[in-house]
Amino acid sequence: MSATAEVQYATETVDGRDNLVEVVHLTKHFPVKQGVFAAGKAIVHAVEDVTLTVRKGETLGIVGESGCGKSTTARLMVRLLDPTSGVVRFDGRDITKLQQRSLRPLRRQMQMIFQDPYSSLNPRKSVGQIIAEPFSIHRTEKDVKRRVQDLLARVGLSPEHYNRYPHEFSGGQRQRIGVARAIALQPKLIVCDEPVSALDVSVQAQILNLLKDLQKDFDLTYVFISHDLSVIRQVSDRIAVMYLGRLVELSESEQLYEHPRHPYTAALLSAVPRHSPNGVAAKRQRIVLGGDVPSPVNPPHACVFHPRCPRFQRGHCDVETPLLRPYELGHEAACHYPVERWPMTEEELRRPSGASAGDPDQTND
């Protein structure tokens, strides 16, 4: 972490009351077998040196391509996975090394809503049993049936659905059941792991509106994971952009969309449809990244984005790892040649200011 980032992190954590979750230099590696005849094991660099905070009452969106580490990061936050290194703090308490027995009381305060609303529900149990399970585990309610029926009504389902089974519901209704289970113990933090990606667009809007209403009513904090930038913009207060296990940009939501600093973020935003005030789709040149996402088993040296970056400068980007640097208030990006303005064409993006001019071999084709 750079000196400026250290100072900013220290400033953010002086008043710990504002932060519900803090992760510092969070890293997660998974050992994998290389093959029948290969000796030893390879390492998947799922999350690499991620430092960020989640403030109380906010929605932090995490966005990136599939396999970038966003879901792993969220699971590390709630200790569903054990970190390889780094620190995880929840509500001011270091939970990095806590054993499962010590974590159990904290499970009431951190819950998850999963991507697939069907596979996350036990098909052998009724809706009443599914939603009542948190009460049974933590032994917190006496009149469980009444409480479950209240939760069903709160998420837009009928209390009469108590004895029905998951296969009798639509995808949107199943996700509402998952939401009811998540809020049952009145947690402080809910991790929403792509909760609307498997739903129709009209149903997506209903679930997003439900989550917003619940956040206001129960003072919830969300970590919202998605690959859909339109959804992320609608629900998030701040957005973290990840690429190949690393945090490459962090900003307030509107600031990120108005002026992305990292070339990867700019490429993602160029693919999002825009609309002019008269309702006609506005034209914007798509920035197409070359090549494929590198393997997390063997990530590129220095900047992990440099093999695909339109601003790549040989001898710098492939030698020195960029650190998160602050720009506008609350806006950080890890790039040696950040985007100066937005929007830009692909040709303009390939001409970074501060780079050596006149050397066509310095940048990617």
Side-chain angles (χ1 to χ4, degrees), residues 43-100:
I43 299 295
V44 175
H45 299 258
V47 177
E48 200 71 44
D49 197 26
V50 170
T51 296
L52 55 80
T53 61
V54 184
R55 301 165 187 160
K56 293 180 180 179
E58 79 165 350
T59 299
L60 175 70
I62 305 180
V63 67
E65 295 172 296
S66 297
C68 71
K70 51 188 186 293
S71 293
T72 303
T73 300
R75 282 170 164 78
L76 289 168
M77 287 181 181
V78 296
R79 281 296 312 278
L80 290 181
L81 294 173
D82 295 328
T84 303
S85 64
V87 177
V88 181
R89 297 189 186 95
F90 182 81
D91 207 10
R93 181 182 180 184
D94 189 342
I95 64 171
T96 313
K97 303 294 184 181
L98 289 185
Q99 300 299 317
Q100 290 303 316

Side-chain angles (χ1 to χ4, degrees), residues 252-284:
E252 300 291 333
S253 177
E254 288 305 315
Q255 193 174 58
L256 185 81
Y257 281 82
E258 292 297 326
H259 189 174
R261 289 292 186 172
H262 199 281
Y264 175 63
T265 310
L268 291 178
L269 292 180
S270 73
V272 178
R274 293 191 308 168
H275 292 275
S276 60
N278 59 8
V280 180
K283 294 182 178 179
R284 176 165 58 192

Side-chain angles (χ1 to χ4, degrees), residues 22 41 63 79 83 95 97 121 147 184 200 229 236 266 276 282 343:
E22 304 168 18
K41 293 183 177 180
V63 67
R79 281 296 312 278
I95 64 171
K97 303 294 184 181
L121 304 177
R147 177 66 175 139
D200 295 335
L229 286 164
S236 301
S276 60

Side-chain angles (χ1 to χ4, degrees), residues 28 44 76 97 110-111 114 119 131-132 140 162 176 198 214 249 281 286 293-294 302 305 357 361:
K28 180 62 180 178
V44 175
L76 289 168
K97 303 294 184 181
M110 48 178 81
Q111 295 291 318
F114 297 94
S119 63
I131 300 176
T140 57
Y162 184 90
R176 290 175 186 269
L214 292 174
E249 189 159 6
R286 173 78 181 273
V293 179
F305 186 57
D361 293 330

